[in-house]
Amino acid sequence: MQLQLPRSISLSWFTLLSATWLVSVYNIPFWNTVIDARNILFINDLPFILSTFSVLVLIFNSLLALLTFPRIAKPVVIALILFSAIATSFALRLGIMIDKSMIQNVFETDLAEATSLVNPSLLLDFLLLGLLPAAIISRARIRCGTPGRELRTKSAVIVSGIALSILLVWVFSAEYASILRNHRELRFMLTPTNMINSTYGYLSQRYRKSRQIETASDVRRILSPSVNANPSLLVLVIGETARASDFSLNGHDRLTNPLLSTKDILYFSNAQACGTATAVSLPCMFSDLGEAGYSLEKARSRENLIDVLIRAGLDVIWLDNNSGCKGICTRASYESLASRNDSSLCNDNNCLDEIFVKALQDRLLDLKKDTVLVMHMKGSHGPAYFRRYPQRFEAFKPACKSVDLSSCNPETIHNAYDNTILYTDFVLFSVIEVLGKNLQHISSALFYVSDHGESLGENGLYLHGMPKFIAPRTQIDIPIIAWLSDEFSARTGINKDCINDQRQQPYSHDYVFHTILGIWNIKTSWYKSSLDMFRCRAFNLAGDRFNRRLL
């Protein structure tokens, strides 16, 4: 007797098999976390694990029953499989979780940044986990009954699936309550619902009808007694993916800041980022809302730091060597440095941060009034760390030369990353040098703050973007550096000795908005002196008269 495979499969069996495939194959990180979370022998916890698997299959099957109809069943499942394959590859190889901020990164990144993540391992995963099953499904023949029969079948599948799920959750209610209470990260690990929920959340927030922009209508700058008539310049440098633990200024055992350590700088050793991804932390640090009150919708319906500075009469220039300003600088002068096509520093729309030094020299010649010059660095953006610095800065060897970090030795990844910090040290030093050479006609200062940190393979995590409530400190702790010329301090009344005594206090991105306003002595009801890192000054913002007592 010869065994023959069926030439077709019913729609109900197709959705059940698809649900089982999605829950099992694309959720290995999820199941690893569930098993580890129980913290007991697997064999003793097997009934709960099986119940969880069954509940998810039943729920996925019910959802697919709602979404799949004769002509769209295969396209819907194929689309879910292809996207799930990508998410699974990133989760397995880089420890990346999918939440709303990660989806925001996907939509708001540029082509160069996106393609830097593509590597042979990702392509192989996509072939085996995505294209191959998609090809099999595309050739499958799905058998459908009459509309009435299909409707009855779908109704039975959905009702029975929900009922059985409720029963299983009730039987193991204590176990479910415990794991959901103590491991909230599981909701970001279940594929493909994490992608669907996060994408819907981001798009609904992004395209929600815009409210009227709330303005800081009471902005007024308090001018200090002029030391001279020269304009003042604040260079606000936004670092990229620089974590505090790898700065020798912060105690790193490698000398990654040999040049900055020779300068009279202020290093703030206890600072944290608002988020773990640029798309969140950048608009958050330029907002007065603070991390606790921040949301993308609120920030976009309210003026930001750039707007307030312009209202106060300052020129604001945004120089970008990254993926844009995330809508922050729409009312400022903007230039993408990649468009300069400097052959000595740029290649394929990817420029080294040294290009800021040239851009600064050019801008200084045209400076006519008090100005804030924002430099948005490429910094230490991964996974192609080796592309963020010129060869002469490869001091730590051997360095990983692949974008597939999971294929590199952890030490070589760390070497490449520390080379990027060494190069950032050089760029910041060079900017300070240029400013110092022009003090006769421009009083100047520099304020550097990183947008977030980075994971380099610790605990199996790479890159950044973890939900902050479970993110490691390496993705949260950031460096903040300030350099103030004597002329600039005199004009703004800032007391460097007083600030130096407070460098180890806890700070965060919440302080950026208020600190920059405080530097320029800008008065507004939005300003909070308690969040001004430089509130040690010879006068305050409580009124127009100067207060000679230190605050």
Side-chain angles (χ1 to χ4, degrees), residues 518-531:
I519 286 176
W520 292 105
N521 306 318
I522 295 174
K523 181 183 177 182
T524 171
S525 58
W526 292 16
Y527 167 80
K528 298 177 182 177
S529 61
S530 61
L531 296 177

Side-chain angles (χ1 to χ4, degrees), residues 104 274 279-285 287 289-300:
Q104 185 177 353
C274 178
V280 174
S281 57
L282 192 62
C284 182
M285 78 168 79
S287 169
L289 295 169
E291 180 182 348
Y294 172 82
S295 72
L296 180 63
E297 181 185 9
K298 288 181 181 179
R300 288 183 172 175

Side-chain angles (χ1 to χ4, degrees), residues 181-310:
R181 181 175 59 251
N182 298 314
H183 295 275
R184 292 184 295 159
E185 71 273 18
L186 287 172
R187 60 195 172 106
F188 301 116
M189 301 178 72
L190 185 62
T191 305
T193 56
N194 51 2
M195 295 185 298
I196 296 172
N197 291 336
S198 299
T199 301
Y200 172 77
Y202 168 70
L203 292 178
S204 62
Q205 187 178 57
R206 178 174 180 176
Y207 295 108
R208 193 171 297 162
K209 186 177 181 180
S210 300
R211 296 183 295 184
Q212 185 176 358
I213 301 297
E214 187 174 354
T215 62
S217 57
D218 60 347
V219 173
R220 184 158 49 98
R221 186 178 175 198
I222 303 172
L223 297 177
S224 60
S226 297
V227 177
N228 55 54
N230 294 331
S232 294
L233 170 66
L234 172 65
V235 178
L236 176 56
V237 185
I238 309 301
E240 171 65 53
T241 322
R243 67 186 202 178
S245 60
D246 283 60
F247 274 58
S248 56
L249 290 170
N250 197 62
H252 189 37
D253 55 2
R254 287 174 167 174
L255 187 58
T256 53
N257 305 120
L259 297 176
L260 285 177
S261 62
T262 66
K263 289 292 184 181
D264 181 22
I265 63 168
L266 299 166
Y267 181 83
F268 299 87
S269 59
N270 187 8
Q272 292 192 352
C274 178
T276 62
T278 305
V280 174
S281 57
L282 192 62
C284 182
M285 78 168 79
F286 277 81
S287 169
D288 71 307
L289 295 169
E291 180 182 348
Y294 172 82
S295 72
L296 180 63
E297 181 185 9
K298 288 181 181 179
R300 288 183 172 175
S301 62
R302 189 175 177 88
E303 285 188 330
N304 58 50
L305 175 60
I306 301 295
D307 302 318
V308 177
L309 292 173
I310 294 173

Side-chain angles (χ1 to χ4, degrees), residues 112-169:
E113 187 175 308
T115 54
S116 69
L117 294 170
V118 178
N119 59 71
S121 297
L122 176 64
L123 295 176
L124 180 61
D125 291 344
F126 187 63
L127 173 64
L128 296 178
L129 298 177
L131 294 180
L132 184 59
I136 295 173
I137 291 173
S138 67
R139 296 178 61 86
R141 294 182 59 187
I142 300 177
R143 185 175 65 254
C144 300
T146 62
R149 183 176 179 180
E150 287 296 331
L151 180 60
R152 290 192 296 273
T153 302
K154 284 180 179 290
S155 300
V157 166
I158 294 171
V159 171
S160 60
I162 293 175
L164 285 173
S165 298
I166 294 174
L167 176 62
L168 287 171
V169 170

